Amino acid sequence: MNTIPTIETDILILGSGGAGLFAALHAHQANPNLHITIAVKGLLGKCGCTRMVQGGYNVALAEGDSVERHFMDTIEGGKWLSDQELAWTLVSKAEERIRELENELGCFFDRNPDGTIHQKAFAGQTFDRTVHKGDLTGIEIINRLAEQVWARGIHRLEEYRAIELIHSKDGKSLAGVLMLDMQTGQFTLVRSKAVLLATGGGPTMYKYHTPSGDKSCDGLAMALRAGLTLRDMEMVQFHPTGLLAGPGTRMTGTVIEEGLRGAGGYLLNGNRERFMNHYDSRNERATRDIVSRAINSEIRAGRATPNGGAYIQMSHLGPQNVREQFKGMVERCADSGFDLANDLVEVVPTAHYMMGGLVFKSDCSTDLPGLYAAGEDTGGVHGANRLGGNGVANSTVFGGIAGDTMAHWAAKQSLLECNMDEVHASIQAHEAPLNKAAGDIEAVRDALSECMWDDVGISRTKESLLRGRNTLHRLEEVLLQIGVGDIQREYSVTWQDWMNLQNLIQVSKAITEAAISRENSRGSHYREDFPEPGSMEDSYYTAINLQGQSLSIENRSVQFTLVKPGETILVET
Ligand SMILES: Cc1cc2nc3c(=O)[nH]c(=O)nc-3n(C[C@H](O)[C@H](O)[C@H](O)COP(=O)(O)OP(=O)(O)OC[C@H]3O[C@@H](n4cnc5c(N)ncnc54)[C@H](O)[C@@H]3O)c2cc1C
C-alpha cells in the first residue's frame, strides 16, 4: 500500500454552511494561533443549504416577544420530542448570533421605518420573529461569513470530500478524517485534534427534494459507520409546495414559498377542485405536514395533475398584485415556463429537512472524544418538526458554540495516531467500484428515490415500510456489485455519484428502521396504521446505530428537564 499524503491541523471543519463557517470564525477568535482547516465538498461560500435560505432566521427580539415564547413554540412545534436543553440553547443564543451577524460580520437585514429589525410571520409561531433580507437571506449570511473566513487565513480544502471518520489507534477517540481530493481523485488523510461534522444532512434520497445537490447525507453515514448513534431519523420534513417542472430538471422540487398560501392562494387537484377543506378547517393555511399529506392523498386517490401533483392558483388575487407581492416566485416560475400570476402552476410536496441526526450535547461534543457536531447533521434540537426559521438559527448558533468548544479542546490536546487499518479498509471499499465494470447507477438512484417517496414518504404503513426495507437491502447489494469502470479519477462525477448513493442508501435504511419502530404519528412522521400521537407524558425518541452490519434501534424516554407536556414556562402578565 502506497503512503497516503497527510495533512496535520488543529481543527478540521467538514462543511462550509452556516455551521461550518461560524465554527471556523469562533475558533479563530478564541485562539488565533490554532491551525484551522475547512474541508468542503463544493466551493466555500457557494454550496450547501444555508446559502439557499429564503425566509429567514428566528429570534426573539421585538417588544412583547421573549426567549421563553420562542422556546415554547419550538417545543410544541416539535411535538414534545426535542431535547429541551438543546432547544433552550438554540433560542437563548439566537440573539447573540444575529447581533454578531449584523454588527461584527456586516449583514444587512430588512428594517422597519423606525430602524428596528423587521421580523415577519412564519408558520407555527405565536409571534412575528423571522429576521430576513428580502427572500434571499441565506446569500447575505453566507457571503458575509465567507468574506470573513477568507480574510482570516483559515486554511481551505475545497472540492475535498470527507470519506471516513478515523479513530485513534486505541479506538477511544477520533484522530482524523480520510478525505478524497475530488479534483485529482487522490486520497488524503487529515489528522486533527478536533473535527466538526457540519455536512448538513439533507433528504436528497427522495424523488422530490429541496436541498442542494452536493448533499448526500455523508456526515450521517460516516457517523453510523464510526459506531455513533443517530436519533429521530424517522422525522423528515416535507414542504408542501415544490415546483413540479417535469422530469429531468433540477427546478423540480424547488420551493414555491409558503407565503403564497398565506396570502390566499388556492390548491386545486387534477380535476381543478379545491380540496383542502376536506382535510383541515384552516384550508390552505394549515401547517406544512397537514397540507403535504392532503396533497399526497389527492394524488393517491387518482386526482393528480398531468405531472403527478396539484395546482396552485393565484390569479384570483389579481395578477398585478401577485406580480408585485411575489416577484421572486413569479420569476422562478417564469424561468420554467409557467405564469404564476395568471395561470395554474403544478406543485408537489418536496423533502426539505431532516430533524434527525447525530446525538450531541449543547456544547456540541459527541460520544466520541475529538468529534463535534453542529447544524443539520445533528438531532434533538427540533424534535418531530422544525419551525420554519429555526434551521439557520440552529446551524449558526451551534456552529459558533462548536468553534468555542473545539478551540478550548484543541489547545490542550496533541495529535493522535490514526488507526491505519481503518484508513486502508476504507480506501479499498471506496476504490472497489473503480475495479468493476460500469453498471447502471442512474437506475439505482431512480429506484431509491421512488422507493423512499412511495414507501417511506409522507404517509407510511407497516406494509409500505417493510417493502421499503426490502428494496433498500436489494439496492445496496446491487450497488456493491456494480462499478463505475476503469475511469479517470479526476473530476469523476460517476464515481462521486456512486459514493453519494452508498451513503444515501445507508441513511435511508436508518430512516426506514426508525419509521418502522415508531408506531404512532408525531409531527412529520405519519403512520396510517397508527394515526394517534401516543401519550405525550411517555414520549420517547428513537436512537439508532450500526452494530456489525445491522442497524440496532431503541426507544429512549424524553427527559422533560424544563417543562412538561400540558405546562408552560410563560408567565402570565
Ligand atoms: C431551499 C431551502 C430553503 C430554506 N429556507 C430556510 C429558511 O428560510 N429558514 C431556515 O431557518 N432554514 C431554511 N432552510 C434550512 C437551512 O438551510 C438549514 O437548516 C441550515 O442552513 C443548514 O446549515 P448547515 O451548516 O448544517 O448545512 P449546509 O448549509 O447545508 O452546509 C453543508 C456543507 O457541507 C458540505 N458537505 C457535504 N458533504 C460533505 C462531505 N462529504 N465532505 C465535505 N463537505 C461536505 C456541503 O458542501 C456544504 O458546504 C432552507 C433549506 C432549503 C434547502
Side-chain angles (χ1 to χ4, degrees):
M1 186 75 67
N2 297 332
T3 355
I4 301 151
T6 303
I7 294 172
E8 294 181 355
T9 188
D10 292 321
I11 293 179
L12 172 65
I13 293 167
L14 304 177
S16 68
L21 294 179
F22 246 109
L25 292 176
H26 267 237
H28 183 267
Q29 192 171 31
N31 185 345
N33 297 322
L34 289 173
H35 188 283
I36 302 168
T37 305
I38 300 183
V40 51
K41 205 174 173 183
L43 296 177
L44 193 145
K46 301 287 181 202
C47 54
C49 288
T50 310
R51 198 178 166 81
M52 300 167 83
V53 165
Q54 300 168 347
Y57 182 117
N58 288 345
V59 51
L61 292 177
E63 203 177 323
D65 198 6
S66 67
V67 167
E68 288 79 8
R69 201 185 251 269
H70 187 185
F71 175 77
M72 287 309 299
D73 287 347
T74 301
I75 295 296
E76 283 169 358
K79 307 293 175 211
W80 294 90
L81 293 196
S82 305
D83 176 310
Q84 298 193 351
E85 299 299 326
L86 294 176
W88 181 256
T89 305
L90 170 76
V91 299
S92 58
K93 285 272 178 190
E95 179 176 359
E96 186 180 308
R97 214 55 93 235
I98 208 82
R99 300 286 181 213
E100 280 176 81
L101 280 165
E102 266 224 316
N103 303 334
E104 291 180 27
L105 301 165
C107 287
F108 283 100
F109 296 117
D110 287 9
R111 295 197 165 262
N112 296 310
D114 68 357
T116 53
I117 293 184
H118 182 259
Q119 295 183 272
K120 65 180 173 185
F122 246 27
Q125 301 189 59
T126 57
F127 211 90
D128 297 355
R129 64 166 71 94
T130 308
V131 173
H132 63 110
K133 165 143 180 137
D135 57 4
L136 296 175
T137 311
I139 293 181
E140 179 71 0
I141 291 177
I142 286 293
N143 283 356
R144 301 292 84 77
L145 284 169
E147 284 163 6
Q148 296 301 324
V149 165
W150 286 323
R152 281 169 174 72
I154 288 164
H155 301 269
R156 310 198 304 260
L157 295 172
E158 292 176 276
E159 296 189 319
Y160 264 72
R161 176 188 182 122
I163 295 280
E164 212 78 75
L165 302 176
I166 303 297
H167 291 92
S168 57
K169 268 189 169 164
D170 65 6
K172 291 184 181 157
S173 309
L174 193 73
V177 178
L178 178 66
M179 310 278 318
L180 180 70
D181 177 345
M182 295 160 73
Q183 296 181 12
T184 63
Q186 300 304 318
F187 290 96
T188 299
L189 180 61
V190 183
R191 297 176 64 202
S192 184
K193 297 170 186 170
V195 173
L196 179 68
L197 202 67
T199 67
T204 54
M205 64 284 276
Y206 285 89
K207 182 170 163 186
Y208 304 112
H209 59 258
T210 65
S212 59
D214 50 324
K215 301 219 291 192
S216 48
C217 295
D218 299 348
L220 299 178
M222 288 189 294
L224 273 176
R225 292 198 293 267
L228 291 152
T229 301
L230 309 183
R231 61 171 285 174
D232 299 324
M233 289 305 290
E234 70 277 28
M235 302 300 176
V236 179
Q237 184 176 68
F238 289 82
H239 193 293
T241 52
L243 183 63
L244 194 44
T249 160
R250 201 39 201 101
M251 288 306 287
T252 284
T254 56
V255 170
I256 296 293
E257 74 147 295
E258 214 149 76
L260 297 182
R261 285 181 291 114
Y266 292 160
L267 290 171
L268 312 179
N269 61 24
N271 301 334
R272 306 199 170 202
E273 300 154 345
R274 271 183 88 187
F275 56 84
M276 276 309 302
N277 57 330
H278 301 308
Y279 299 92
D280 194 283
S281 59
R282 290 166 291 180
N283 294 333
E284 282 83 357
R285 292 184 192 180
T287 49
R288 283 180 184 179
D289 49 338
I290 292 171
V291 181
S292 294
R293 278 203 296 281
I295 296 177
N296 196 43
S297 300
E298 292 295 306
I299 295 170
R300 288 188 172 184
R303 296 188 287 273
T305 55
N307 281 305
Y311 292 115
I312 190 158
Q313 176 191 301
M314 299 299 290
S315 54
H316 59 281
L317 299 174
Q320 188 53 28
N321 172 37
V322 175
R323 271 191 290 274
E324 279 166 17
Q325 237 189 309
F326 298 103
K327 187 170 175 290
M329 289 298 117
V330 169
E331 284 171 2
R332 170 171 290 187
C333 291
D335 283 346
S336 301
F338 305 116
D339 183 354
L340 179 67
N342 289 290
D343 211 348
L344 302 179
V345 174
E346 280 181 83
V347 292
V348 71
T350 177
H352 189 45
Y353 188 90
M354 291 162 73
M355 275 67 72
L358 183 57
V359 169
F360 81 126
K361 300 188 189 73
S362 50
D363 66 354
C364 294
S365 61
T366 69
D367 291 342
L368 184 62
L371 180 68
Y372 299 82
E376 210 177 319
D377 269 343
T378 62
V381 179
H382 310 294
N385 223 339
R386 170 183 72 92
L387 298 181
N390 266 1
V392 64
N394 175 38
S395 56
T396 54
V397 161
F398 287 101
I401 294 173
D404 297 334
T405 312
M406 289 191 298
H408 186 67
W409 165 270
K412 55 184 177 100
Q413 291 297 314
S414 31
L415 285 173
L416 301 175
E417 289 299 322
C418 289
N419 178 336
M420 293 309 287
D421 290 342
E422 283 183 3
V423 173
H424 294 307
S426 180
I427 292 178
Q428 201 177 12
H430 285 91
E431 282 183 336
L434 293 171
N435 303 320
K436 292 189 188 128
D440 192 350
I441 289 184
E442 271 311 301
V444 178
R445 175 176 282 280
D446 288 347
L448 171 66
S449 64
E450 294 285 345
C451 154
M452 291 304 284
W453 186 256
D454 290 338
D455 291 336
V456 197
I458 296 165
S459 292
R460 305 155 174 182
T461 60
K462 184 168 187 185
E463 195 190 348
S464 77
L465 291 167
L466 294 178
R467 198 167 46 235
R469 175 197 269 171
N470 285 339
T471 310
L472 292 170
H473 185 68
R474 184 174 54 75
L475 290 177
E476 190 170 51
E477 284 183 346
V478 171
L479 188 73
L480 288 176
Q481 275 157 25
I482 64 176
V484 296
D486 182 17
I487 49 166
Q488 264 184 231
R489 286 163 162 253
E490 293 91 350
Y491 285 113
S492 172
V493 177
T494 318
W495 189 24
Q496 298 301 324
D497 268 354
W498 190 97
M499 292 183 246
N500 289 345
L501 271 174
Q502 190 184 38
N503 288 341
L504 285 171
I505 293 174
Q506 219 153 30
V507 174
S508 297
K509 286 168 71 176
I511 294 174
T512 308
E513 291 310 316
I516 291 171
S517 149
R518 179 172 289 284
E519 294 190 329
N520 58 36
S521 293
R522 284 274 178 115
S524 62
H525 169 75
Y526 186 75
R527 289 277 303 255
E528 284 171 37
D529 42 358
F530 295 99
E532 298 304 322
S535 152
M536 290 293 149
E537 289 70 24
D538 301 323
S539 291
Y540 61 86
Y541 66 90
T542 58
I544 192 161
N545 62 22
L546 200 56
Q547 299 202 348
Q549 293 302 310
S550 315
L551 288 163
S552 157
I553 189 149
E554 65 176 272
N555 295 335
R556 297 183 183 167
S557 297
V558 175
Q559 303 298 314
F560 302 117
T561 51
L562 297 174
V563 61
K564 292 190 172 63
E567 295 177 359
T568 179
I569 58 169
L570 296 181
V571 183
E572 293 293 329
T573 52

